[in-house]
Amino acid sequence: MLKRILAVSLALNFSVAAQAASPITLLSEQCIDYRVSLSQAKASDTQLDASVRLERELIGLFNLKDSVRFYRHYPLNRQDRESLLQCQLHLADEFDRLAQDAWLKAQSQQWAASESPGLHHLGQLLTQQIAEQISQEQKAKLHTAQASIAHGLKQKDLSLIIGQDQCRLPDEQVDTQAQTRFDNSIASYLIHQQDETCKRLVWQAYQVRAKQKNQAALSLILETRQAIALEHGFRDYANWSLSHRQLAHPAQVKQYLDSQTQRGPSPWALGAVLAELPKVEVSALTGQALLEAIQSSLEPFGLKFETVNDKMLRLWHQGRLLGELFLAEGARLQKNNARLSPLRQAVVGQQFGQLTLSLPDELDGYRSQELLISAMAEMVSRMIIGGRYYLNNTLGDDQAIARYWLSQYLTDRLLPKLPSNSREAQLKAFSTQLKVFRSKLALSAYQAPENRLYSDMSHEFTLSFGKPWPQAKDAIYSFTGAATQGPLYYLPLWHQSLAREIHARARLDTRALFELLLINEQQLTLEERLTIIFGSAPSVATILERSQHDQPKPIH
């Protein structure tokens, strides 16, 4: 009953951040009181029945975790942030309590040995989750430090001191405070400043603006995670966190990141470079018009959208209800961009999916239309996945790769191909290089000093952006991913590379690809599906080699 009440409460309140206090209070109260019982699962006669009964218990816990993530996307006051943090800690403690149960440990290992693909996968994931549990003290340190860093980077009172008179813009010399402080957006400054040296100094200062505020919190995260890795018998956290991934060793991640490194314009010169390039012309569309075009492109896969009212759609696949999509339109959106916020994960036989979509009134550029296409691809991937267990449907690389593949398929159908010398293509190339550089930073930060594969971050910065930056290692404080994803920050890049590889070289037709990647009713492993897609098992080395040649080339 809890999960139904909570879902209704969230669905009624998802679109208004200002009214979020009441549902957050309800969520917090339900969260703190929530407790999973294993009694029915333990009384089961078969392994399958035990797994189904366990899933019924665990799904309430997972729904609460998803609700916490949902509300963290909105601007919240201090009390609500604290309530969500306490809820997050309680749910982590509750799962840790379950992980200590002898029956669940033994049962997970039995499931992992099952010949049933779904049970086998569930057993593997549960066994891994149980092994990765950390102490309450470690969880409290990590969650508190991560929240502190995220809050620190969002603070609007962070400002830059401009030491050189010549680097001040004319409108900054109006009063005494403006003469000594930089409070405008970095983008605005870089656009209006003509002096290349000033651009470089200000951009670099902006990147490390939060170092003093976040240094202690990030150091605590690094120390805590290193201790966790040592407890598990690994020499550092990078090796431990990568051990269950396709790229299972830091050296493989380095090989991949190096293959993606291409020299382009420096970040402070990017605006001037883009200004010289032509934009890709697209016809302006309303959000509703593009949404309908996406729906038409998905119909050949057996998908059907049912309009319940102007705020709600239902998604069906060949007569099976997958879930509901709530629409928020118009003035409530920022930057006129679509944004998808998951509310509830679809799990076959347990619950339908629920997601919210911020739908702009008008989409007049390539990027804004691409964002809506990407959001809809993610929505479909979350709702249609065919697993009967929440963990099977959410953990691992599978769903992300499927989403990126579908997004690329829809983009090819609905948007013009990007010329390599277009503004949009080069902005994408720059964004990739920024993610590559940050991935190198994150990987290096979580390696023991004697094991670090990247010893000179200034050199790595030069490889991507053509200019040296002596303090490049301090950019670790400029993005939250260093504290949250850590060494796994590179994963979206890797997933996109695999999706492009599938899109370009698959031996299956599009309908078969859709069913294999997004539904996966037989619960095949990713390796098994890649073997079917390519006709043979692709090695990591082969994918790494091919991924070198699948990006747009930056303009120097």
Side-chain angles (χ1 to χ4, degrees), residues 459-530:
H459 174 67
E460 298 304 324
F461 185 85
T462 303
L463 290 178
S464 283
F465 304 112
K467 299 290 178 66
W469 180 16
Q471 291 77 40
K473 67 180 189 307
D474 288 340
I476 194 75
Y477 304 105
S478 68
F479 61 108
T480 57
T484 52
Q485 293 106 311
L488 302 181
Y489 185 83
Y490 79 95
L491 270 178
L493 291 171
W494 174 243
H495 293 155
Q496 290 172 51
S497 291
L498 280 173
R500 285 193 295 267
E501 183 79 2
I502 292 169
H503 186 68
R505 296 182 171 87
R507 301 178 64 173
L508 303 180
D509 62 41
T510 305
R511 179 68 179 260
L513 266 178
F514 179 88
E515 294 178 354
L516 187 62
L517 285 174
L518 282 99
I519 303 174
N520 190 25
E521 189 171 355
Q522 295 181 324
Q523 293 291 280
L524 301 177
T525 66
L526 178 59
E527 288 70 22
E528 290 171 334
R529 282 181 284 165
L530 290 177

Side-chain angles (χ1 to χ4, degrees), residues 336-543:
N336 206 37
N337 288 334
R339 188 182 74 181
L340 191 75
S341 299
L343 269 169
R344 192 171 63 179
Q345 173 65 44
V347 181
V348 175
Q350 295 289 346
Q351 63 183 23
F352 304 120
Q354 281 189 333
L355 300 97
T356 70
L357 176 67
S358 300
L359 186 65
D361 288 334
E362 185 174 0
L363 303 166
D364 57 3
Y366 182 96
R367 179 58 178 160
S368 61
Q369 294 183 14
E370 184 182 44
L371 284 173
L372 179 55
I373 290 171
S374 176
M376 289 297 289
E378 180 180 355
M379 182 274 296
V380 171
S381 73
R382 285 181 175 274
M383 284 200 186
I384 201 170
I385 191 165
R388 296 181 176 273
Y389 306 101
Y390 178 98
L391 292 179
N392 292 14
N393 288 355
T394 56
L395 295 184
D397 302 321
D398 309 48
Q399 190 181 83
I401 295 168
R403 166 168 59 95
Y404 286 126
W405 172 82
L406 182 59
S407 179
Q408 184 155 353
Y409 167 82
L410 291 172
T411 299
D412 285 352
R413 288 182 62 86
L414 298 171
L415 293 178
K417 182 177 177 61
L418 285 182
S420 61
N421 65 340
S422 66
R423 188 179 302 178
E424 290 79 5
Q426 293 311 308
L427 190 57
K428 277 191 173 186
F430 172 81
S431 176
T432 295
Q433 287 311 299
L434 186 59
K435 291 173 184 175
V436 166
F437 173 69
R438 287 177 168 179
S439 296
K440 294 176 181 179
L441 276 171
L443 177 66
S444 181
Y446 287 93
Q447 288 190 284
E450 65 275 12
N451 298 330
R452 282 179 184 153
L453 298 174
Y454 292 110
S455 58
D456 185 353
M457 295 313 304
S458 179
H459 174 67
E460 298 304 324
F461 185 85
T462 303
L463 290 178
S464 283
F465 304 112
K467 299 290 178 66
W469 180 16
Q471 291 77 40
K473 67 180 189 307
D474 288 340
I476 194 75
Y477 304 105
S478 68
F479 61 108
T480 57
T484 52
Q485 293 106 311
L488 302 181
Y489 185 83
Y490 79 95
L491 270 178
L493 291 171
W494 174 243
H495 293 155
Q496 290 172 51
S497 291
L498 280 173
R500 285 193 295 267
E501 183 79 2
I502 292 169
H503 186 68
R505 296 182 171 87
R507 301 178 64 173
L508 303 180
D509 62 41
T510 305
R511 179 68 179 260
L513 266 178
F514 179 88
E515 294 178 354
L516 187 62
L517 285 174
L518 282 99
I519 303 174
N520 190 25
E521 189 171 355
Q522 295 181 324
Q523 293 291 280
L524 301 177
T525 66
L526 178 59
E527 288 70 22
E528 290 171 334
R529 282 181 284 165
L530 290 177
T531 299
I532 295 172
I533 288 169
F534 297 119
S536 61
S539 67
V540 169
T542 300
I543 298 174

Side-chain angles (χ1 to χ4, degrees), residues 75-103:
L76 302 172
N77 59 42
R78 183 174 181 177
Q79 181 179 351
D80 286 343
R81 286 198 306 269
E82 179 64 23
S83 295
L84 292 181
L85 178 59
Q86 292 305 315
C87 180
Q88 188 177 18
L89 290 171
H90 172 76
L91 295 174
D93 290 343
E94 179 64 6
F95 192 84
D96 182 63
R97 180 186 67 82
L98 296 175
Q100 303 306 316
D101 187 273
W103 175 86

